């Protein structure tokens, strides 16, 4: 294939793509096809020479969310037409896939996936052991309980696909240069401005990092955080496999961590083993190109032994190739995509966790749209590079975590599953005290957070299942304690910002949908909206003084939300934004007895008349001055106490010492979740995203259309208000008290699919699983008409539905 000569190197480009693997070539292809005429791609060696060349070539489509599945489906559709469009063979074949289950828990997961696929519009069929044996006679199925069949899955040749994308990009006007490494990414004024190569500089309006396992180191040179690390990835090729022909589907034996694929007359056996071997800890060799790595046959041997049981014909086949090559993996097994928060006009598309080929088409499309539109074209939060926190670039952390994350691709995706490696990164001041009384900690954004409390510390461990897990009754007791008495939550992981200066109120009021130009001491619940009316953040803003605000948000969105506000501060505004997350611990005291407990510890008046809902002020508690904010996320009377970090333990001890007469119980995040879902409180990232408007989400009460100066997203909301929302968020309760909801379960009205569940938990007060979910207003009738059901693992379960909270719809309990 022809390539550009280095002496033809242009001096500027609209978009400069670094990296010539399948991801970089897809980005260049989509940009050029979208009419960006001066796209330049630079590859340090040759196209595909990093990790693309040795990709196994699987092209699956079913992912864990609607938008991720949509990206994979688009990729599959692109590969179908790419060869005819470009004249370059791709080796793409839709042979279908079979995923098998050898445990009841795995079968439950696959059945739930098949139900979820109906929301996506993807054909996924639940199949019996007999069906599997008939479709794949080579498989040993005596221990198989069932599985799923996806007719439109397949495989392709990664090198051929990349070359086809490159050819299509060139035809549309992109210029591709091989053997030309980037020696520096240039920046000025907080934005990427181009690159330096040994052949000279190239100015660019936008730079996209598609550099695979090199991305972390390259991004670090410009202060951009892209946490990923390479791991060894193994597969073997067998020849002369009796009975093998081209009709053999892709087979995934998740319980044995193994996949099988027809490969030019041979059988490829690959694996995502539970304990991977990180690679390249001391850096990647400069001349690394089309290279294998030594690997360890003993490490892979158990996989091959299980493979010979699953596919007996391998015992008499010839092992023609044992391969080990590096792939980059991320801490949460989700790839990194989008605008870097640290540097304007710098985009990232890397960390593909060995699913680069099946993701490449969709990634190329959304990066192109993101660059052209100035915002993501859909809700991409789960892969958004802004989810990453600074500590995650730590090499020790990455080395430990990716040894686990590779194996999680094929592990059972149990609800509430917790990472086991690289734990204890960020701890609340109360961590050790809570652990000593039985807290079972989970992890979010590196924070150790008590999810539930065991009767004895030795019992504080998870036993996973798709049914009621071992913590279910313990969390139920915590839930009931908050509803009936009083509970203590450690919420120290909250993201906390101070926004200060003479222009703080004006700037913040432009960003917030609600009116935050209120008296000092008031708390305002608000959303930050984008120009389309979508919800970028969901948080509280407390006015501490005329020129001083405290902003409180979720731990997971700390980086994203800080970046959103920071980018909306005008250059000439007299205000400063500071992240003070680590400066304060947070103890939440919630329940009917919250006032009586706290009043016994402070001389300050906490009566309803003196301290009303949505008010905040400093009170004396223990030896500390504490900011007490009367607000709730559980639907009960209570206060969040914001305490200087060094005073947090002392305040906690004071509260606990006084708590017994009031029935004080410790409560974890699982109880917090079940309590908030009963009250129909929304959770950003699940129930509300940048695709959902405040009107659709039923949050118009937090929007002040007539406030002076307006706000971002106002015009879009007004248009939607006039036209009427096309979807609405409702609350559901399953009538079967045993069934459980998690997310993405289909919502049916009679025999019409009308929506899906966005989040779910068990409502211990309401006596059943509770879910929030959107329904299509054109398809779903008024909730009062009934006839709704939720599909759980293939079974439709009748559901009560309401547009108002099923628990305390009048908000009487929080305002007493």
């Amino acid at each position: 294939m022809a390539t550009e000569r280095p002496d033809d190197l242009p001096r500027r480009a609209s978009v400069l793509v670094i990296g010539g693997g399948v991801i970089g070539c897809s980005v260049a292809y989509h940009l050029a096809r979208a009419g960006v005429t001066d796209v330049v791609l630079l590859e340090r060696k040759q196209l595909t020479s990093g990790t693309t060349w040795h990709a196994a070539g699987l092209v699956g489509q079913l992912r864990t969310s609607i938008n991720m599945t949509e990206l994979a489906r688009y990729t599959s559709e692109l590969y179908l037409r790419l060869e005819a469009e470009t004249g370059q063979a791709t080796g793409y074949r839709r042979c279908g896939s079979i995923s098998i289950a050898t445990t009841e828990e795995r079968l439950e997961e696959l059945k739930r996936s098949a139900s979820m696929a109906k929301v996506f519009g993807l054909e996924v069929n639940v199949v019996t052991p007999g069906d599997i044996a008939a479709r794949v006679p080579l498989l040993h199925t005596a221990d198989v309980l069932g599985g799923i069949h996806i007719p439109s899955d397949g495989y392709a040749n990664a090198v051929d696909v990349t070359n086809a994308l490159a050819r299509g990009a060139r035809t549309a006007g992109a210029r591709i240069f091989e053997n030309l490494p980037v020696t520096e990414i240039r920046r000025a004024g907080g934005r990427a401005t181009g690159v330096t190569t040994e052949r000279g500089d190239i100015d660019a309006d936008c730079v996209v990092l598609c550099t695979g396992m090199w991305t972390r180191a390259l991004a670090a040179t410009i202060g951009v955080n892209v946490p990923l690390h390479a791991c060894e990835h193994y597969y073997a090729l067998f020849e002369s496999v009796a009975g093998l022909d081209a009709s053999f589907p892709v087979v995934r034996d998740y319980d044995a961590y193994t996949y099988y694929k027809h490969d030019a007359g041979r059988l490829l056996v690959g694996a995502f083993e539970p304990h991977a071997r990180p690679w390249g800890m001391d850096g990647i060799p400069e001349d690394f190109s089309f290279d294998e790595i030594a690997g360890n046959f003993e490490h892979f041997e158990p996989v091959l032994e299980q493979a010979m049981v699953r596919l007996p014909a391998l015992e008499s086949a010839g092992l023609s190739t044992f391969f080990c090559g590096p792939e980059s993996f991320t801490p949460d097994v989700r790839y990194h995509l989008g605008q870097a928060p640290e540097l304007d006009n710098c985009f990232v598309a890397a960390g593909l966790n060995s699913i680069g080929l099946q993701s490449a088409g969709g990634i190329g499309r959304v990066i192109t749209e993101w660059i052209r539109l100035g915002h993501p074209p859909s809700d991409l939060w789960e892969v958004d590079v802004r989810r990453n926190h600074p500590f995650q670039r730590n090499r020790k952390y990455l080395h430990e975590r990716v040894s686990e994350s590779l194996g999680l691709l094929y592990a059972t995706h149990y609800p509430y599953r917790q990472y086991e490696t690289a734990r204890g990164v960020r701890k609340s001041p109360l961590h050790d005290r809570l652990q000593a009384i039985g807290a079972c900690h989970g992890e979010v954004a590196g924070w150790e957070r008590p999810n539930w409390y065991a009767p004895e510390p030795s019992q504080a461990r998870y036993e996973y299942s798709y049914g009621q897990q071992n913590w279910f009754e313990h969390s139920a007791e915590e839930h009931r304690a908050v509803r009936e008495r009083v509970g203590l939550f450690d919420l120290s992981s909250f993201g906390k910002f101070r926004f200060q200066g003479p222009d703080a109120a004006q700037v913040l009021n432009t960003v917030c949908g609600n009116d935050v130009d209120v008296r000092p001491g008031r708390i305002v619940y608000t959303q930050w909206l984008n120009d389309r009316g979508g919800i970028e953040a969901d948080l509280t803003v407390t006015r501490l003084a005329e020129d001083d605000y405290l902003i409180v948000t979720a731990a997971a969105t700390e980086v994203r939300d800080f970046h959103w506000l920071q980018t909306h501060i005008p250059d000439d505004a007299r205000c400063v934004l500071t992240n003070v997350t680590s400066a304060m611990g947070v103890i939440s005291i919630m329940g009917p007895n919250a006032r009586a407990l706290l009043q016994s510890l402070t001389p300050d008046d906490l009566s309803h008349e003196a301290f009303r809902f949505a008010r905040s002020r400093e009170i004396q508690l223990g030896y500390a001055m504490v900011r007490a904010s009367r607000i709730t996320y559980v639907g009960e009377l209570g206060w969040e106490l914001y305490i200087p970090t060094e005073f947090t333990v002392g305040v906690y001890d004071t509260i606990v010492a006084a708590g017994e007469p009031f029935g004080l119980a410790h409560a974890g995040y699982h109880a917090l979740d079940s309590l908030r879902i009963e009250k129909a409180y929304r959770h950003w990232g699940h129930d509300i995203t940048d695709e959902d408007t405040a009107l659709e989400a039923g949050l118009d009460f937090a929007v002040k259309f007539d406030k002076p100066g307006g706000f971002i997203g106002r015009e879009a909301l007004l248009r939607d208000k006039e036209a009427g929302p096309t979807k609405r968020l409702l609350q559901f309760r399953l009538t079967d008290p045993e069934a459980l909801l998690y997310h993405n379960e289909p919502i049916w009205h009679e025999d019409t699919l009308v929506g899906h569940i966005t989040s779910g938990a068990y409502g211990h007060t309401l006596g059943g699983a509770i879910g929030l979910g959107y329904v299509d207003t054109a398809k779903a009738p008024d909730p009062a008409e009934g006839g709704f059901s939720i599909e759980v693992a293939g079974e439709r379960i009748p559901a009560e539905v309401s547009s108002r909270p099923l628990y305390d719809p009048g908000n009487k309990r929080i305002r007493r």
Side-chain angles (χ1 to χ4, degrees), residues 126 314 348 429 542 614 711 747:
V126 177
L314 293 181
V348 176
T542 302
F711 56 90
I747 300 170

Side-chain angles (χ1 to χ4, degrees), residues 479-480 483 675 678 762-768 807:
H479 180 114
R480 287 188 280 266
R483 289 279 185 251
L675 290 159
E678 280 194 332
Y762 200 85
H764 301 286
T765 310
L766 296 175
Y807 180 80

Side-chain angles (χ1 to χ4, degrees), residues 428-430 434 447 488-496 550 552-553 580-581 583-589 626-627 629 631 639-645 648 651-652 669:
S428 153
L430 305 180
L434 301 182
W447 284 99
L488 181 154
F489 298 89
D490 178 12
L491 305 182
S492 299
S493 63
F494 276 168
K496 314 167 198 82
L550 172 65
V552 178
T553 190
V580 296
T581 297
M584 289 179 280
V586 182
I587 298 174
S588 175
I589 305 297
V626 172
R627 173 155 296 280
S629 294
I631 198 74
W639 280 263
E640 291 173 357
L641 307 176
Y642 292 81
I643 313 159
T645 300
T648 304
V651 170
Y652 167 82
Y669 271 83

Side-chain angles (χ1 to χ4, degrees), residues 538 554 633 673 676 681-689 759 772:
D538 179 71
Y633 194 50
D673 196 41
R676 73 94 184 167
Y681 287 151
R682 283 61 167 151
H683 180 273
W684 194 91
H686 287 94
D687 312 308
I688 47 179
T689 71
S759 64
L772 299 179

Side-chain angles (χ1 to χ4, degrees), residues 452 467-480 670 737-738 740 761-764:
W452 57 280
Q468 294 182 3
Q469 297 185 9
N470 64 314
W471 50 266
F472 183 86
E473 286 301 329
H474 303 310
S475 186
E477 285 299 319
E478 298 165 24
H479 180 114
R480 287 188 280 266
H670 291 338
E738 299 300 316
L740 298 178
Y762 200 85
H764 301 286

